[in-house]
Amino acid sequence: QKYDYKIKYDDISRLFLLPKPDDVHMAFVIALDKPIRQGQQRYQYLVLQTNKDPDEVRVNLDEDTIKKEYGDDLQPVMRGSLSNLVAKTFKVIAKKKVFIPGKFSNANQQPCVKCALRANEGLLYPLEKQFVFIHK
């Protein structure tokens, strides 16, 4: 079965960029005002796993449109770690702040704690003003 969803930028409420404990991957979380539905199940958060490897992203718009719409915040070709490029692109286009972990670190100097919520194991990220739990 195939599902296609169109999510408007206005429906994005928050963005999070969270490092995974393996030091290779990052979780990019998109919080939605209007959850998407798949059958009876509703999903208010979308989690994209990216890596920290250097990469290059080409924006599929002509340079005039990029300059007019986004100013100097977006370039036709951007280089850097893939996770940061995804976060920056969403930040500029959706006009939302990207939340990252603050000063908290566990005994292994990681910004998260392994924990379980009922039968679901995952990672708990204490941020400056909120907690984020990512199911494994």
Side-chain angles (χ1 to χ4, degrees), residues 4-18:
D4 284 339
Y5 299 99
K6 289 188 174 30
I7 299 169
K8 296 180 181 176
Y9 296 124
D10 294 339
D11 292 342
I12 296 174
S13 62
R14 290 192 186 109
L15 301 168
F16 302 93
L17 184 61
L18 308 168

Side-chain angles (χ1 to χ4, degrees), residues 18-27 47 49-50 52 110-112 123 125 134-136:
L18 308 168
K20 293 279 198 96
D22 62 5
D23 287 330
V24 176
H25 296 100
M26 299 283 278
V47 181
Q49 181 170 297
T50 63
K52 296 180 180 179
Q110 297 169 338
C112 60
L123 302 169
Y125 291 86
I134 296 183
H135 182 9
K136 265 193 179 171

Side-chain angles (χ1 to χ4, degrees), residues 14-77:
R14 290 192 186 109
L15 301 168
F16 302 93
L17 184 61
L18 308 168
K20 293 279 198 96
D22 62 5
D23 287 330
V24 176
H25 296 100
M26 299 283 278
F28 184 69
V29 182
I30 302 170
L32 303 173
D33 282 333
K34 298 175 190 168
I36 59 173
R37 287 184 49 176
Q38 191 171 356
Q40 292 297 315
Q41 189 68 43
R42 295 170 157 238
Y43 297 99
Q44 188 169 359
Y45 297 93
L46 306 176
V47 181
L48 289 79
Q49 181 170 297
T50 63
N51 58 37
K52 296 180 180 179
D53 295 341
D55 210 335
E56 178 178 287
V57 171
R58 295 182 189 281
V59 179
N60 195 15
L61 293 170
D62 60 84
E63 288 189 38
D64 295 335
T65 307
I66 293 172
K67 278 273 191 242
K68 189 173 80 174
E69 297 283 328
Y70 307 110
D72 292 332
D73 295 331
L74 222 53
Q75 284 82 37
V77 178

